[in-house]
Amino acid sequence: MLYVYAVTADHIADSDDLLPEEGILPDVPVRRFRWGTLAAVASPVPDTVFGAATLPGRLEDAPWTRACVLAHQRVVSALLPAATVLPLKFCTLFSGEPALSAAIAGHREALERAVDRLRGAREWGVKLFFETPAPVARLPETVGAGAGAAFFRRKREEQQARLAADAALDLCVATSHRRLASHARAAVANPVQPPELHRQPAVMALNAAYLVATADETAWRACLSDLERTYAAAGARYVLTGPWGAYNFAGAGLV
């Protein structure tokens, strides 16, 4: 079997020498299979681990799966300086080189369009967090005459304050994504992560990816810095990650 990490193009000279020594499993080599201007980076893997009868059970082992996901990402990241990289999803598998070759041939036009889209650009991630807002200040309790009217007035003012805070947050998120996207070749806002995944003492309000041309990265980073200054007082915290293989922009892949 072949475990395939990515399709590549625009290879620099001697790029095969830059392939990682270890692949998805320890002591598993990484090879590049070429078809004209396109290539696939893959590792031979045993059926006893990645075969249809055994892989589902293996994936139930969370530490093993995490190690494999990280190994997949390490290989893709190592390819970025040496080629245009179309990363494939985790556990893209083929029975052997003939099946992989047939998939490349069948998807060649789509792969070449994806190469054109990604050439000279890298994917960056931006996560926007807000500290959990403090409770809205409450008016002192009122007793006696007029207490009922004061209670409803207090509730109304608290609701208005919450609505104003929510509107300000929404405006920050929309403005941030729009401005960052204006300096990118493409952008996508992914679903925000729950606290058990991001593990931050804050609320995630934006989880976005941007395909940025290397020639535009300075302007894009300057835009991010300006947003950080603009919204710091509002409790906004931007987390930049990357560069990554362009998973969000590569297309459907080979399967």
Side-chain angles (χ1 to χ4, degrees):
M1 297 186 72
L2 287 175
Y3 182 105
V4 188
Y5 308 94
V7 173
T8 59
D10 306 323
H11 310 96
I12 66 171
D14 301 322
S15 59
D16 285 355
D17 295 339
L18 302 177
L19 293 176
E21 294 183 358
E22 188 172 86
I24 191 69
L25 298 174
D27 302 320
V28 166
V30 179
R31 297 174 54 195
R32 181 178 274 123
F33 300 83
R34 294 179 180 267
W35 297 271
T37 58
L38 296 180
V41 176
S43 290
V45 292
D47 292 2
T48 53
V49 177
F50 285 95
T54 55
L55 182 59
R58 293 272 186 172
L59 293 176
E60 293 177 0
D61 182 342
W64 183 87
T65 300
R66 174 177 169 77
C68 287
V69 169
L70 292 176
H72 178 106
Q73 181 57 42
R74 281 195 299 271
V75 173
V76 171
S77 295
L79 302 174
L80 297 179
T84 298
V85 179
L86 283 65
L88 300 180
K89 65 181 181 180
F90 177 61
C91 281
T92 297
L93 296 155
F94 290 90
S95 59
E97 187 174 353
L100 176 56
S101 180
I104 293 289
H107 292 78
R108 191 170 193 96
E109 289 187 5
L111 293 171
E112 289 176 342
R113 287 196 299 270
V115 166
D116 290 340
R117 184 168 61 250
L118 302 186
R119 183 176 286 118
R122 302 192 291 181
E123 178 176 319
W124 296 87
V126 174
K127 293 177 173 60
L128 172 56
F129 293 94
F130 284 89
E131 301 301 324
T132 303
V136 176
R138 300 184 61 185
L139 295 175
E141 297 290 341
T142 303
V143 297
F151 171 82
F152 287 111
R153 183 177 68 254
R154 181 171 63 250
K155 290 298 183 182
R156 183 171 61 253
E157 291 173 350
E158 291 174 358
Q159 182 183 38
Q160 290 171 344
R162 291 191 190 94
L163 291 174
D166 290 344
L169 186 150
D170 291 343
L171 180 61
C172 173
V173 171
T175 300
S176 297
H177 188 51
R178 174 179 54 78
R179 289 185 58 188
L180 289 169
S182 71
H183 293 280
R185 189 176 293 176
V188 59
N190 292 314
V192 296
Q193 298 172 336
E196 56 266 25
L197 285 182
H198 65 66
R199 298 182 179 180
Q200 298 286 328
V203 175
M204 180 184 287
L206 178 66
N207 179 25
Y210 303 90
L211 183 66
V212 184
T214 52
D216 297 330
E217 283 184 0
T218 298
W220 187 83
R221 296 287 291 267
C223 176
L224 179 59
S225 296
D226 184 59
L227 289 168
E228 290 174 328
R229 290 189 295 269
T230 300
Y231 292 109
R237 179 164 54 87
Y238 297 82
V239 176
L240 173 67
T241 64
W244 305 105
Y247 289 96
N248 283 283
F249 308 102
L254 295 176
V255 294

